[in-house]
Amino acid sequence: MKSPVYLDYQATTPVDPRVLDTMLPFFRENFGNAASRSHSFGWKAEEAVEQARADIAALIGADAKEIVFTSGSTEGINLALKGVAEMYAEKGKHIITSQAEHKAVLDTCKHLEKQGYEVTYLKPDKEARHSAEQVAAALRPDTILVALMWVNNEVGSVNPIREIGKLCHERGVLFFTDATQAVGKVPVDVQADGVDLLCLSSHKIYGPKGVGALYVRRRNPRVRLVAQIDGGGHERGMRSGTLNVPGIVGLGKACAIAREELASEAARCIELRERLHKRITSALDHVHLNGSAVHRLPGNLNLSFAFVEGESLLMGLKDIAVSSGSACTSASLEPSHVLRSMDVGDDLAHSSIRFGIGRFTTEEDVDYAADQVIGAVRRLREMSPLYEMVKDGVDLSTVNWQGGH
Amino acid sequence: MAYSDKVLDHYNNPRNVGSLDKNKASVGTGVVGAPECGDVMKLQIEVQGDRIVDAKFKTFGCGSAIASSSLATEWLKGKTVDEALEIKNTQIVEELSLPPVKIHCSVLAEDAIKSAIADFKSKNGAADSTKKAS
Ligand SMILES: Cc1ncc(COP(=O)(O)O)c(C=O)c1O
């Protein structure tokens, strides 16, 4: 077992060795520019790019012509939201999204608000999910776009995408989903699921960083976008710039592997996740699961350890790489906006840890992590005035706290 | 985030973790902070004459909050009550090399000291004045 144990697969994933092997020739002998039409260097690069485009499309049930290469999901989100907003401004200026979205969506929406668009930020339920009924209630005649993520990156909740997609199509509103955490992990079929625009990112699915794709529907309806990066007119004018051929080849291979292994990998991740969860909860009391027990990303476990603060817990977990929804890990003193939007309670939000399990996680890793967590939580609870009060029968909600910050 | 060696030392080997009997007249207890803010400190002192003979803490908070309260108990022991009131959060910041985002931890530790001393004083003030009444 390697130490520290990597359990942060929602932050990023290692490149699969099969992906790296596929990429290497495109740094060496096949270094051509995919836009070069006059020689074999260019043709080889173009052929590889088109193979990747087909592999990506196949994974999500799209047509290869509907794939636009990007530098990752942040760019895909910007292109989808700003591109649609600009293109359809005459039809309306209202967008619906969620408080639990990734910052890339929230900040892009903030930008659009400054440009005169109106954005409704739906509040998720306690499991960080949205229903189609909730979306329906927020639709207006001037709504042009619904933007809701497929899988939440912090708590792993899976939205009922098919129902939301069906609603949007019935009502003639475009539907964009940030599927960064979903593609390759849960079944995605843009036709059956009624998705019009979807972004994905290579580094979350065992491909290299700095490359991704945006799916843009071409039929029923044909979605049009205003390009956000102008130049040589690459990617049918939607995204100019010389293509990152090795990165795209890697993303394509990553998608081909994911398509083959999705089902078996999901089953394995769920097994490891449940093993980790059981081990921890059989040794510790007052452990809360954040997100849904049922509608959940296979490789995500997000737990709050009551009466223990997240950053101090991370300090005690030196040999495992996880992340915390606690305030102190970021420069701000606010706990995660996702946990807040779910009404987890700031005290529990401060004590949350996200465990991300993936392709290279072993049983041994999970058992080691569980032992580390149990030891650290026990030690910190011995030191916690809150745990002592609760053990003495004090109801913390009735305490009049002094001098909070 | 990178922690100073002193913060790490206090986190890994906290001094004086525990509780004193809060009902004893010689013990002053201060509880400051709030769970939803991510830090709560309980700091207790035991006073004989005017000297602090023991100090204990329990802290819910980040590593810097744990270190600040651990350090505070170390500094309190052996000081007179008046000397203890002189402890400033800036001294804690300096000793532990706390970065700007962690200064609130040292402020909380100073508040906890003041609160424990106030509790001790009010208990003993109150003990004197209620003696006759009962
Ligand atoms: C849900 C979600 N959306 C967007 C992003 C941003 O993706 P990228 O790193 O490819 O820009 C991430 C990753 O951090 C994510 O998890």
Side-chain angles (χ1 to χ4, degrees):
Chain A
M1 194 181 64
K2 273 190 231 146
S3 176
V5 170
Y6 188 74
L7 287 176
D8 205 5
Y9 276 83
Q10 277 89 61
T12 194
T13 59
V15 173
D16 189 302
R18 294 168 287 182
V19 169
L20 182 62
D21 287 344
T22 314
M23 290 171 68
L24 287 175
F26 295 88
F27 289 106
R28 294 183 180 134
E29 57 276 19
N30 300 334
F31 59 84
N33 185 331
S36 296
R37 291 284 150 79
S38 52
H39 50 67
S40 65
F41 294 90
W43 303 333
K44 273 197 187 131
E46 192 194 11
E47 189 185 303
V49 164
E50 292 317 313
Q51 179 61 48
R53 208 186 290 278
D55 285 333
I56 296 161
L59 179 61
I60 63 170
D63 187 277
K65 291 195 189 72
E66 298 175 308
I67 301 299
V68 175
F69 289 111
T70 64
S71 62
S73 279
T74 300
E75 187 191 332
I77 289 163
N78 273 268
L79 175 54
L81 297 183
K82 293 175 183 170
V84 163
E86 272 186 55
M87 181 60 77
Y88 296 90
E90 281 187 8
K91 192 168 170 244
K93 289 195 148 191
H94 180 233
I95 294 168
I96 297 171
T97 186
S98 159
Q99 296 171 8
E101 291 290 311
H102 190 271
K103 285 281 181 211
V105 170
L106 294 176
D107 283 2
T108 303
C109 285
K110 290 265 139 53
H111 173 91
L112 288 170
E113 281 181 293
K114 283 197 206 115
Q115 314 257 299
Y117 291 84
E118 233 187 289
V119 181
T120 299
Y121 299 90
L122 298 177
K123 186 177 170 57
D125 66 15
K126 282 199 168 331
E127 295 189 344
R129 300 179 73 235
H130 296 279
S131 66
E133 293 77 49
Q134 188 192 17
V135 177
L139 286 174
R140 309 192 319 208
D142 62 339
T143 307
I144 49 172
L145 181 68
V146 170
L148 289 174
M149 69 204 314
W150 202 305
V151 170
N152 185 279
N153 50 301
E154 285 189 30
V155 295
S157 303
V158 182
N159 270 319
I161 293 299
R162 190 166 293 195
E163 290 161 33
I164 297 168
K166 183 163 177 275
L167 167 80
C168 290
H169 275 198
E170 281 166 6
R171 305 288 286 271
V173 174
L174 294 179
F175 179 35
F176 163 70
T177 183
D178 173 358
T180 309
Q181 299 287 349
V183 167
K185 316 285 167 63
V186 298
V188 168
D189 180 343
V190 291
Q191 290 309 333
D193 293 316
V195 171
D196 298 316
L197 298 121
L198 171 153
C199 70
L200 60 91
S201 182
S202 160
H203 74 99
K204 310 284 187 181
I205 53 174
Y206 311 97
K209 292 168 182 57
V211 59
L214 180 68
Y215 157 78
V216 185
R217 179 179 284 280
R218 270 166 60 98
R219 275 192 305 163
N220 309 316
R222 179 185 183 87
V223 178
R224 292 181 308 143
L225 292 178
V226 175
Q228 302 298 309
I229 296 182
D230 298 312
H234 307 75
E235 299 298 277
R236 284 168 288 112
M238 283 196 254
R239 202 278 196 179
S240 289
T242 297
L243 291 177
N244 167 6
V245 176
I248 288 166
V249 166
L251 170 57
K253 181 67 179 176
C255 288
I257 296 172
R259 195 163 165 235
E260 284 290 312
E261 301 182 357
L262 191 150
S264 59
E265 192 164 296
R268 218 179 59 83
C269 286
I270 289 174
E271 206 172 288
L272 289 172
R273 176 187 84 199
E274 294 307 308
R275 184 182 176 96
L276 179 60
H277 192 196
K278 258 196 219 107
R279 282 212 158 208
I280 289 173
T281 50
S282 62
L284 297 172
D285 55 3
H286 299 287
V287 177
H288 300 257
L289 176 69
N290 296 313
S292 170
V294 184
H295 305 285
R296 189 170 200 103
L297 179 69
N300 173 282
L301 184 67
N302 189 309
L303 300 176
S304 284
F305 300 90
F307 324 123
V308 169
E309 191 275 335
E311 188 192 337
S312 65
L313 183 51
L314 283 184
M315 273 178 89
L317 301 176
K318 292 183 301 294
D319 299 325
I320 63 176
V322 291
S323 79
S324 165
S326 159
C328 298
T329 43
S330 60
S332 79
L333 293 175
E334 299 282 299
S336 125
H337 71 279
V338 175
L339 295 170
R340 276 213 154 156
S341 71
M342 303 158 64
D343 286 338
V344 162
D346 281 1
D347 50 342
L348 284 179
H350 277 294
S351 66
S352 83
I353 299 280
R354 179 183 71 183
F355 302 89
I357 291 164
R359 185 171 291 167
F360 305 107
T361 309
T362 64
E363 263 185 18
E364 203 187 357
D365 291 340
V366 158
D367 291 353
Y368 180 77
D371 289 345
Q372 296 279 306
V373 168
I374 293 162
V377 170
R378 282 199 178 134
R379 193 175 90 86
L380 290 166
R381 280 185 176 169
E382 280 302 304
M383 234 188 277
S384 168
L386 306 178
Y387 194 59
E388 180 183 63
M389 288 163 106
V390 168
K391 290 281 146 177
D392 288 345
V394 176
D395 177 354
L396 294 180
S397 65
T398 64
V399 175
N400 180 20
W401 300 103
Q402 314 262 318
H405 290 255
Chain B
M1 185 173 291
Y3 301 97
S4 71
D5 290 343
K6 283 187 179 154
V7 169
L8 285 173
D9 180 39
H10 279 281
Y11 173 83
N12 289 317
N13 312 290
R15 333 286 200 256
N16 310 307
V17 175
S19 296
L20 300 170
D21 180 358
K22 65 173 183 291
N23 298 317
K24 263 167 86 174
S26 59
V27 171
T29 302
V31 180
V32 296
E36 45 293 350
C37 304
D39 29 33
V40 175
M41 282 182 194
K42 185 185 82 166
L43 197 144
Q44 295 182 300
I45 53 170
E46 178 152 16
V47 183
Q48 274 169 20
D50 67 345
R51 207 161 278 281
I52 296 169
V53 294
D54 201 2
K56 297 268 185 216
F57 85 95
K58 284 202 174 191
T59 289
F60 160 83
C62 64
S64 303
I66 290 171
S68 295
S69 37
S70 170
L71 177 66
T73 58
E74 254 189 337
W75 280 356
L76 285 170
K77 280 201 207 178
K79 282 202 167 57
T80 66
V81 171
D82 286 341
E83 285 165 355
L85 283 169
E86 298 291 305
I87 296 173
K88 291 275 171 302
N89 84 291
T90 47
Q91 297 168 290
I92 296 172
V93 170
E94 198 174 316
E95 175 68 16
L96 296 175
S97 316
L98 297 181
V101 291
K102 297 298 185 185
I103 286 174
H104 71 281
C105 300
S106 70
V107 173
L108 209 59
E110 185 187 322
D111 290 349
I113 295 171
K114 300 241 152 71
S115 168
I117 292 173
D119 180 57
F120 168 76
K121 283 188 170 169
S122 81
K123 250 183 180 174
N124 289 280
D128 287 341
S129 58
T130 49
K131 244 178 221 158
K132 298 268 152 51
S134 59

